[in-house]
Amino acid sequence: MAHRLQIRLLTWDVKDTLLRLRQPVGEEYASMARVHGLEAEAPVLEQAFRQTFSAQSRSFPNYGLSHGLTSRQWWQEVVLQTFHLAGVRDAQAVAPIADQLYTNFSSPCTWQVLEGAEDTLRECRKRGLRQAVVSNFDQRLENILVGLGLREHFDFVLTSEASGWCKPDPRIFHKALQLAHVEPAVVAHIGDSYHNDYKGARAVGMHSFLLVGPGPLDPVVKDSVPQEHILPSLLHLLPALDHLEGSPTGP
């Protein structure tokens, strides 16, 4: 006889799933540079940031913890290298900008809650679902969530900095399961990254949903992710959970 699946825990990605920056990084960097008497174009800084962030993440993954760095030092180096790549090579002039940007990005005011996020989290709690965060983020996340009024929805907040592993490493998902005292078969993860969130969670036996937004689907996603696992918006999560829980799980 088939059994009806019952999800007991939802784990959430945060950036671009529940929250996003109010302004693009390039604009934040350019604005702070002007405060300190430096001129740099926002689009140039945006491109330089993307290149620097990618290179820094490859050379010193997960905020350089295994190399003895703190996440603050890691981010300060990202800012210095971003401005250097954008043509501002006076490290002494950029250092106070890096300090201020780290503080600014720690502030809830720099972030905004995505449409439908708070209502969805609240409805999930009303259903009796436990919820937690599993995010590639640093130690600032807890206070950001508190400041935005979202922390109350979660049993715990597990960041890559705290756990020592970045998604899609299975160990961060296993740590979440351990903290929640549940088996992966009764957990669903929600995130916007096909590689880190959707595939990472499924690799350890969890269910997962991919938040894709309203634009055209990436061909890889279209070919690899069943339609019922795709969320065009967070408002689609509860119907998707209903569909998942209505599916038989076997004898």
Side-chain angles (χ1 to χ4, degrees):
M1 180 180 175
H3 299 281
R4 192 171 185 269
L5 173 67
Q6 184 174 11
I7 296 297
R8 294 171 55 197
L9 173 71
L10 299 179
T11 59
W12 290 88
D13 172 54
V14 172
K15 187 175 180 295
D16 297 323
T17 297
L18 296 172
L19 309 179
R20 69 178 169 206
L21 291 168
R22 289 189 178 275
Q23 291 192 99
V25 170
E27 291 184 21
E28 290 280 354
Y29 280 33
S31 176
M32 189 51 56
R34 285 193 295 273
V35 170
H36 287 262
L38 296 177
E39 284 297 326
E41 295 294 326
V44 176
L45 285 166
E46 184 75 35
Q47 184 176 2
F49 169 78
R50 292 178 185 276
Q51 293 178 29
T52 301
F53 181 84
S54 180
Q56 182 86 336
S57 297
R58 286 194 303 270
S59 299
F60 303 100
N62 200 18
Y63 309 111
L65 300 181
S66 63
H67 295 266
L69 296 176
T70 65
S71 55
R72 184 176 190 129
Q73 291 170 327
W74 191 93
W75 278 114
Q76 287 172 326
E77 184 62 21
V78 167
V79 175
L80 290 171
Q81 291 302 320
T82 295
F83 276 92
H84 188 273
L85 195 57
V88 182
R89 294 183 166 85
D90 185 347
Q92 191 171 356
V94 175
I97 298 174
D99 284 336
Q100 189 59 53
L101 284 168
Y102 183 86
T103 300
N104 288 359
F105 281 98
S106 305
S107 169
C109 298
T110 307
W111 300 84
Q112 66 184 55
V113 180
L114 285 169
E115 183 179 358
E118 195 159 10
D119 288 344
T120 301
L121 291 170
R122 190 179 297 111
E123 285 303 314
C124 289
R125 284 183 72 194
K126 283 183 181 177
R127 287 192 176 201
L129 287 162
R130 297 171 61 198
Q131 299 182 96
V133 164
V134 179
S135 177
N136 288 351
F137 214 107
D138 59 51
Q139 61 185 352
R140 296 174 290 180
L141 182 57
E142 186 99 26
N143 287 337
I144 291 169
L145 291 171
V146 169
L148 291 169
L150 297 185
R151 179 61 182 87
E152 66 186 36
H153 296 291
F154 306 113
D155 288 11
F156 59 85
V157 173
L158 181 63
T159 64
S160 58
E161 181 176 13
S163 71
W165 307 294
C166 281
K167 296 177 298 184
D169 192 308
R171 288 173 290 187
I172 190 171
F173 291 105
H174 283 305
K175 181 63 176 178
L177 296 170
Q178 179 186 357
L179 288 171
H181 305 289
V182 293
E183 295 298 317
V186 296
V187 183
H189 180 74
I190 304 100
D192 70 308
S193 169
Y194 170 67
H195 183 63
N196 291 339
D197 294 308
Y198 185 77
K199 289 185 68 178
R202 296 184 77 78
V204 300
M206 295 164 62
H207 303 275
S208 57
F209 297 102
L210 183 64
L211 182 65
V212 298
L217 284 180
D218 182 288
V220 174
V221 170
K222 192 173 184 179
D223 292 341
S224 307
V225 181
Q227 189 65 37
E228 59 268 24
H229 297 169
I230 292 175
L231 305 178
S233 76
L234 289 176
L235 299 177
H236 291 77
L237 175 62
L238 292 175
L241 281 171
D242 289 339
H243 184 277
L244 177 65
E245 292 187 322
S247 303
T249 61

